[in-house]
Amino acid sequence: MSTTIALIGNQNSGKTTLFNALTGSNQHVGNFPGVTVEQKRGKVKKHHSIEVVDLPGIYSLSPYTMEEIVAIDFLLDDRPDIILNIVDATNIERNLYLTMQLIELQIPMIIALNMMDEVVNSGNSIDVKGLEARLGTKIVPISAYRGEGIEDLIESLTELSLHPLTKKVDLCHGEIHKAIHSIGHLIEDNVKKVHYPKKYCATKIIENDEKVMQKLELDDNQLHIIHHIIEDMEQKAGTDRDVALVEMRYNEIEKICEETVLKKQETTEQIRSEKIDQILTHRFLGIPIFICIMLLIFFITFNLLGEPLQALLEQFLAFVTAGIIRMLESQHVAQWLISLLRDGVFAGVSNVLSFLPVIVILFFFLSLLEDSGYMARVAFVMDKILRKIGLSGKSFVPMLIGFGCSVPAIMATRTLSSQRDRKMTIILTPFMSCSAKLPIYGMIISAFFAHKAAFAMITVYLIGIFVAVVSAVILKATVFQGDPIPFVMELPAYRIPTLKSVVIHMLEKAKDFIKKAFTIIFLASMAIWFLQSFNFRFEMVTDSSQSILAYLGAKISWIFQPLGFDDWRLSTSLIAGITAKESVVSTLSVLTNTSTSAALNTALKELLNPASAFAFLTFTVLYMPCIGAFAASKRELQSFKEAVLTALFQTGMAYIFAWIVYHICLIFI
Ligand code: GDP
Ligand code: MG
């Protein structure tokens, strides 16, 4: 027989750290609220009959966000055998708010009092026995991070799993107490039918929770009586129903803490954090400081380390490819197969793999920022600005990552709690100019705008941001009406990131990326190679203008005529760019038969003029992201249809803005 333990606690209370300590696994720990969005399961070390489920962090049992819904549904419908409630001892009052509600669920429970190291270090103390008596729940003081108290905790868990029991403690009083009990009495039969805890249902009814009320199938008579009970209570207590409940819980917590918690001062970490925050979240300095930090990170990632490492890796891949090709040639392998491997698979996959160093380095820095607690501040500072266009502060982090690569950016939207905010962010993130588009900008700018390169480059980036803002406003007015979720993310204390956590994060990203290169990019490269090398009679062509790809490119080139460019090679390169944005450049150089960038410049000048070149550039900034990002958004939206609609929206905006840019340029250039 196996026991299921639900790990429940506030965000950032150390749930994942404890999960890892209990199970010996290596889940990503982040000093950023909301890192755990999906539930993870693992077996307790040396006690394989006990399974722990790591759930998203929640503050209460009122379902406001996706995370809360996941956690509550699990508790009510899957009924774990034991709740392991992790409480951050340095923030005990706020953490106990959830504990009070968990007690109502009448599920056997143990409290792990975490971060005791910080409490002890700052000279504070907690009367664990006293707290245990007041809450009627076993409490084990631990430090998940240092692995202290974990053995005790496992022992208490096994014991409770053998003798599951719940003590009845009454933690409510006053008028509201009476109301809870009368309602509880009234709904006794309904509750038994759905196997929900009675007291939980009674408080939920007072909170007017529609989901619970529907589930209980209350009849009109009951509803009528309930209405009366609540009205009566509100009148006698002199407050409304929600306030009455919250007050009751906080009063109780205050009393308990007065008796059991000795708090001489804030913990050293809290005092240090406040000092750091005076500078980093400063009203005027906050944003400039952040921009400087990001510039530095981008500079180190892309210029200082990324470029040379990328070049090195490219050389290495070219060396390996050449070796393999030579070997195949000496074995007299069919020419078409060699071409498939060399021009299709190797060219495509190694082109993409060469970005691995950049991705790994970027994520190294980003996990430093995240684990130290700084990212949470950034989101907080940006929230005010983003709220104006219908996004929340949390959308900011994915957008920022989007300047590097849309794939991890879209994955990063998991930290957003509401579906609405999340979908909007997934749609807008690709407008941030990703690094794979840089070769395209380089190509067009050196051919047409070399004399004002920096200005052109900045304009391109700004166009992306501008269109994202416009789209946000449009989406907010149409598909995504309503407001972003109130920003309840709390600011965690600054902590020194652990090397282990940062490395885990980096390896996870590298693994994802390499997997992508060998699946999607692998297949897409073969497809493009095929279309580029064969004609409709499936004969291999020497001149790619005779290929299927050229035919298809020509078929759609009229679409781009209003934007000022209608050559089949340009439209073909845009299609090829869907596999990976870099392919726009490589495809154009193949199709124009140019091997040097100078020759390509000359060829481009025949295909485009400055106005249409800028329209082409605008289109490439905005149109649907590469297939990797498309797959990521399909995965995150969990819907192929929505992913397609997203891509159509992005391409539509690209078309409209490229048209506008073309006509503006016709006037001014
Ligand atoms: P979750 O959001 O609840 O999953 O919390 P995490 O496990 O991601 O931890 C949040 C932060 O608290 C991380 O920076 C951890 O290193 C830190 N942390 C976790 N447990 C302890 C502890 O016992 N003591 C101290 N000082 N820090 C801890
Ligand atoms: Mg977590």
Side-chain angles (χ1 to χ4, degrees), residues 445-508:
I445 289 175
S446 76
F448 294 94
F449 310 104
H451 49 294
K452 35 191 171 202
F455 177 71
M457 197 65 111
I458 291 173
T459 314
V460 170
Y461 273 85
L462 289 180
I463 287 176
I465 297 170
F466 176 73
V467 173
V469 172
V470 172
S471 308
V473 172
I474 294 175
L475 290 174
K476 184 173 151 61
T478 54
V479 199
F480 296 112
Q481 285 178 355
D483 285 313
I485 278 271
F487 196 54
V488 287
M489 184 165 83
E490 76 181 282
L491 300 181
Y494 285 103
R495 293 198 169 88
I496 307 216
T498 59
L499 189 65
K500 186 178 159 211
S501 160
V502 172
V503 169
I504 290 173
H505 203 179
M506 262 168 64
L507 290 181
E508 253 174 27

Side-chain angles (χ1 to χ4, degrees), residues 10-17 19 27-30 32-37 40 54-57:
N10 283 188
Q11 289 182 348
N12 245 24
S13 56
K15 282 182 311 304
T16 304
T17 314
F19 179 85
Q27 297 292 353
H28 173 59
V29 177
F32 187 90
V35 168
T36 312
V37 176
K40 298 183 183 110
D54 183 18
L55 292 164

Side-chain angles (χ1 to χ4, degrees), residues 97-122:
Y97 189 77
L98 176 66
T99 307
M100 302 280 283
Q101 298 181 53
L102 292 174
I103 290 173
E104 286 168 7
L105 291 177
Q106 293 283 308
I107 296 174
M109 182 157 108
I110 287 187
I111 294 175
L113 201 55
N114 194 29
M115 314 244 182
M116 281 308 280
D117 54 324
E118 288 189 10
V119 172
V120 173
N121 276 347
S122 49

